[in-house]
Amino acid sequence: MYGRYTQDLGTFAKDEAARLRLQQEQGDDGTPQARRPSELLEYSQSRCAPRCAQKWMYGGLDTNVLLQYLAWVTYPTVLITFSAGFTQILAPQAVGSGIPEMKTILRGVVLKEYLTLKTFVAKVIGLTCALGSGMPLGKEGPFVHIASMCAALLSRFLSFFGGIYENEARNTEMLAAACAVGVGCCFAAPIGGVLFSIEVTSTFFAVRNYWRGFFAATFSAFIFRVLAVWIKDEETITALFKTRFRLDFPFDLQELPAFAVIGIASGFGGALFVYLNRKIVQFMRRQKTINRFLMKKRLLFPALVTLLISTLTFPPGFGQFMAGQLTQKDTLVTLFDNQTWSKREPSDEFEYIGILEAWRNPRSNVFVTLVVFILMKVGASCPGWPRPVPGSPFCWAGAAFGRLVGESMAAWFPDGIHTDSNTYRIVPGGYAVVGAAALSGAVTHTVSTAVIVFELTGQISHILPVMIAVILANAVAQSLQPSLYDSIIRIKKLPYLPELGWGHHEKYNVRVEDIMVRDIPYVSLNCKYRDLQQVLHSTKMKSLALVDSAESMILLGSIEREQVGALLSQQLHPQRRLQALRQRARASFEDGHRLSEASINTEASSFAPTRSGSRKPLKPALKRVPSAPTNSPPGESVPCAHHGTPPMSPC
């Protein structure tokens, strides 16, 4: 069942197995025949190995090397150029991974035009072309962005039927679940997808949203794998990269130091990857000549990078030293293979069958091929990030590095590490699984990559080595560099507060008052028009703070500068002024009419007979002179109401 790694039962069983193997290898005429181990049958006879268009064009032109080269480099260059041009024209927000922006959005920052339908179309079409090109671009980040856009568009559609979907808290929960869906359907790993979304995108995760994320991620992974069965690529729902490691004795305890070395080395490698990526982007932005050239020739840079990578991976050329003809899926399938590729004896050599043929090179051994492959993937991924296409690098280099350590261990211990007189040969594929999880966790600063790897391979036999390597890789990487997503947030200068790493404990003593800006223009409720104009002319800020009063300085909210200008133009427009004057004149006319009626009533009541003999003088209405009272003594004068002169004589 486990091929050459089956447990030996004794000397007789070893000799008998060797004799039977020799008989199978030699036919009746004594000529050797190729061996086909049982572990490789699923790869060589796989129903899910369709040839991509690039390999089809390359294989059809085998009579001319020059035509093969042109077909090999033209196909990815055209797709990458189309992807870059389409996204730049339709929606530049679709460029890049998508996880850094989602981290910023889930922190409460509004990024306009990032979760729109136009960006969704640009992301889907651009990602399809970018992945079809065969370049070292991953899909976990773009899938998170696509799922988030689906959630946002669905919330907007359902808001027409129910107002609850307009709630900001509900939208945040929808986006958090969408991030889990993006990772879950990408790797068919619902559990790891939910945990990855919590670690990467959320600082404070609502527990009530936990089951929603699992529900959505499970259905997305189920549909993703069911589609493979419906299109006849799989017979049933299985792991995406199924492995067949032995379960009775997966590894020896003495191999744990080797797994720990993989974790520590992956931590340093992940930090180096993040550092090189940030420095390359900063160098390109700092150089004005390069920056000006990239701004004018937006499509030339991705085309040149794709042309260079395609030239290096050309199979008859330098690509023969790095298995350049393998696709991304085939690369991981071969790296997770549980056969040993290196020689154990001068007369013993592994027969490369099927897609494993790409790793054999008569001019070099498997160690040189793996080293060149690792350097190529790291070198192609670092300058690949600034390319204006939707995508993010996938750490095949981690699996290759783990495979390199596993092959080295198999070469150093050809008969395995002896334990109680039993021999268990080393499984290099297990080292590849450990390396892939460790480097991915080091780059992203997550531990959930271990769970994703378990769901990808369908086995948990190496759960202890994987967890040890991932934890050590995270410890080393977090002490040296921020995560890849935090680094991109810094490069793009998004409004996001990154986590404080090790060695920055003094920043915990920094208070808000030490970094806050105190002289901020504001608008109070009792400010005058002159104060408002002074604020608008003294600053160019897009938003103005609204406070209760200048004495209390209680913040009530904020108002946009454009809204203030619109309100002022609405209130102080010439037509508005004329309308206000007309309303004021009409109001004054109505008040005067009411006062005239009151004066007439007052004069009529003054001639009415009084009950008593004495009568008090009434106040004049509308500055009119009242009639002289009958009880006024003779010679007494009445004040003149028209001139306001002192009472000397009658007017």
Side-chain angles (χ1 to χ4, degrees):
M1 179 177 180
Y2 302 105
R4 66 177 63 182
Y5 301 119
T6 305
Q7 179 181 354
D8 296 332
L9 301 178
T11 305
F12 174 79
K14 292 174 63 176
D15 296 338
E16 187 68 18
R19 184 180 62 82
L20 293 176
R21 184 169 61 249
L22 183 61
Q23 291 180 357
Q24 293 176 359
E25 292 177 357
Q26 296 181 355
D28 298 336
D29 54 354
T31 58
Q33 296 179 353
R35 292 177 296 175
R36 300 183 66 85
S38 60
E39 292 85 348
L40 298 180
L41 290 178
E42 60 176 336
Y43 302 141
S44 59
Q45 301 177 357
S46 177
R47 302 172 59 184
C48 57
R51 301 178 65 184
C52 66
Q54 185 183 19
K55 296 180 66 176
W56 177 78
M57 295 169 59
Y58 168 79
L61 301 173
D62 54 351
T63 57
N64 193 326
V65 180
L66 180 60
L67 293 179
Q68 281 185 324
Y69 171 75
L70 292 178
W72 185 266
V73 301
T74 302
Y75 180 80
T77 303
V78 171
L79 288 179
I80 288 294
T81 305
F82 173 78
S83 176
F86 186 80
T87 53
Q88 288 293 331
I89 293 174
L90 186 59
Q93 294 80 9
V95 173
S97 168
I99 293 182
E101 288 80 4
M102 288 309 304
K103 292 186 66 173
T104 307
I105 291 175
L106 290 176
R107 285 289 184 96
V109 180
V110 178
L111 298 181
K112 296 182 179 180
E113 301 296 331
Y114 192 76
L115 300 176
T116 58
L117 180 61
K118 182 172 62 175
T119 308
F120 174 79
V121 175
K123 193 78 171 185
V124 171
I125 298 178
L127 179 62
T128 303
C129 297
L131 293 179
S133 65
M135 290 295 100
L137 300 170
K139 56 183 179 179
E140 64 276 6
F143 267 53
V144 169
H145 188 191
I146 291 174
S148 301
M149 286 185 288
C150 291
L153 295 175
L154 184 62
S155 298
R156 294 174 187 174
F157 175 75
L158 294 178
S159 62
F160 293 102
F161 304 98
I164 187 174
Y165 292 97
E166 297 179 356
N167 190 358
E168 184 177 356
R170 176 56 63 90
N171 292 334
T172 303
E173 294 177 358
M174 290 279 291
L175 292 178
C179 294
V181 170
V183 181
C185 68
C186 180
F187 299 116
I191 301 176
V194 174
L195 299 179
F196 186 84
S197 66
I198 295 175
E199 284 187 290
V200 172
T201 59
S202 301
T203 302
F204 302 99
F205 189 81
V207 179
R208 64 178 178 274
N209 203 39
Y210 197 61
W211 72 271
R212 300 170 184 170
F214 271 110
F215 180 82
T218 302
F219 268 87
S220 65
F222 173 75
I223 294 176
F224 172 67
R225 298 306 293 160
V226 165
L227 290 177
V229 178
W230 284 350
I231 62 178
K232 306 301 181 180
D233 281 347
E234 297 284 352
E235 295 181 355
T236 184
I237 298 178
T238 57
L240 196 59
F241 300 98
K242 188 176 181 180
T243 57
R244 293 182 179 273
F245 303 147
R246 63 169 183 251
L247 301 177
D248 55 346
F249 197 88
F251 60 90
D252 197 294
L253 290 179
Q254 301 181 27
E255 299 181 47
L256 291 180
F259 294 124
V261 170
I262 293 178
I264 296 175
S266 298
F268 284 105
L272 179 63
F273 181 88
V274 174
Y275 177 79
L276 291 177
N277 173 64
R278 185 172 62 254
K279 289 301 180 182
I280 289 174
V281 178
Q282 291 177 352
F283 173 77
M284 295 172 62
R285 291 186 176 181
R286 195 179 301 113
Q287 299 295 328
K288 296 182 179 180
T289 305
I290 300 178
N291 195 10
R292 192 182 305 110
F293 173 77
L294 295 178
M295 293 298 295
K296 294 182 179 179
K297 308 292 183 181
R298 294 180 180 270
L299 304 182
L300 184 60
F301 176 70
L304 291 177
V305 174
T306 306
L307 179 63
L308 177 61
I309 296 176
S310 301
T311 303
L312 293 177
T313 57
F314 183 54
F318 195 68
Q320 60 183 331
F321 298 99
M322 63 180 74
Q325 62 183 354
L326 293 180
T327 61
Q328 299 178 6
K329 182 177 181 180
D330 293 340
T331 301
L332 284 181
V333 168
T334 54
L335 290 175
F336 290 163
D337 178 54
N338 54 340
Q339 297 289 316
T340 303
W341 300 347
S342 58
K343 296 181 180 180
R344 290 189 295 275
E345 296 179 2
S347 60
D348 188 10
E349 184 178 359
F350 175 70
E351 293 292 339
Y352 295 88
I353 302 174
I355 59 178
L356 292 176
E357 184 70 23
W359 294 99
R360 183 174 66 176
N361 189 355
R363 303 179 183 178
S364 62
N365 54 19
V366 65
F367 301 100
V368 176
T369 304
L370 288 173
V371 170
V372 175
F373 178 84
I374 294 171
L375 296 178
M376 177 61 190
K377 288 301 180 182
V378 174
S381 298
C382 285
W385 268 93
R387 284 178 291 181
V389 296
S392 58
F394 185 79
C395 296
W396 299 280
F401 175 71
R403 184 82 193 190
L404 178 62
V405 176
E407 294 291 343
S408 302
M409 291 289 294
W412 292 335
F413 304 97
D415 294 329
I417 301 177
H418 299 275
T419 302
D420 297 335
S421 69
N422 293 328
T423 301
Y424 296 94
R425 301 187 186 276
I426 293 175
V427 183
Y431 287 80
V433 172
V434 174
L439 188 56
S440 301
V443 172
T444 59
H445 288 188
T446 58
V447 185
S448 57
T449 53
V451 182
I452 295 177
V453 165
F454 297 148
E455 294 182 276
L456 275 177
T457 59
Q459 287 187 270
I460 58 173
S461 58
H462 287 72
I463 182 172
L464 183 61
V466 168
M467 291 304 301
I468 292 176
V470 169
I471 292 175
L472 290 177
N474 271 274
V476 174
Q478 291 183 15
S479 62
L480 296 177
Q481 290 290 327
S483 68
L484 182 61
Y485 307 125
D486 291 339
S487 178
I488 297 175
I489 288 175
R490 294 183 183 181
I491 293 173
K492 293 185 176 181
K493 297 181 179 180
L494 297 175
Y496 179 83
L497 293 177
E499 301 293 337
L500 295 179
W502 293 357
H504 300 85
H505 298 288
E506 67 278 359
K507 295 183 180 179
Y508 285 97
N509 298 326
V510 179
R511 301 182 179 180
V512 177
E513 61 181 0
D514 298 332
I515 61 175
M516 66 183 299
V517 180
R518 298 179 180 274
D519 189 11
I520 299 178
Y522 62 91
V523 178
S524 60
L525 294 179
N526 55 357
C527 71
K528 301 179 180 179
Y529 174 74
R530 179 179 58 188
D531 302 334
L532 189 59
Q533 286 289 349
Q534 183 179 0
V535 170
L536 293 177
H537 289 297
S538 61
T539 181
K540 296 182 179 180
M541 297 181 62
K542 295 183 179 181
S543 298
L544 300 176
L546 180 62
V547 299
D548 185 14
S549 62
E551 293 77 14
S552 63
M553 293 297 291
I554 298 177
L555 181 63
L556 302 179
S558 63
I559 184 171
E560 297 289 337
R561 184 188 185 92
E562 298 179 356
Q563 295 180 358
V564 175
L567 292 175
L568 289 179
S569 62
Q570 181 180 358
Q571 297 294 332
L572 302 178
H573 195 268
Q575 296 181 358
R576 174 62 179 170
R577 293 181 180 179
L578 182 59
Q579 182 181 1
L581 291 176
R582 290 176 179 176
Q583 292 178 356
R584 189 177 303 173
R586 187 182 301 108
S588 61
F589 175 77
E590 293 177 356
D591 293 341
H593 182 67
R594 285 195 294 267
L595 289 176
S596 299
E597 293 180 354
S599 63
I600 293 174
N601 295 334
T602 304
E603 291 178 357
S605 61
S606 62
F607 293 99
T610 57
R611 296 181 181 179
S612 60
S614 63
R615 181 180 299 175
K616 296 182 180 180
L618 300 176
K619 295 182 179 180
L622 296 179
K623 297 183 180 180
R624 292 181 180 180
V625 181
S627 300
T630 55
N631 55 353
S632 298
E636 186 176 357
S637 62
V638 181
C640 180
H642 293 284
H643 303 284
T645 56
M648 294 181 62
S649 61
C651 294

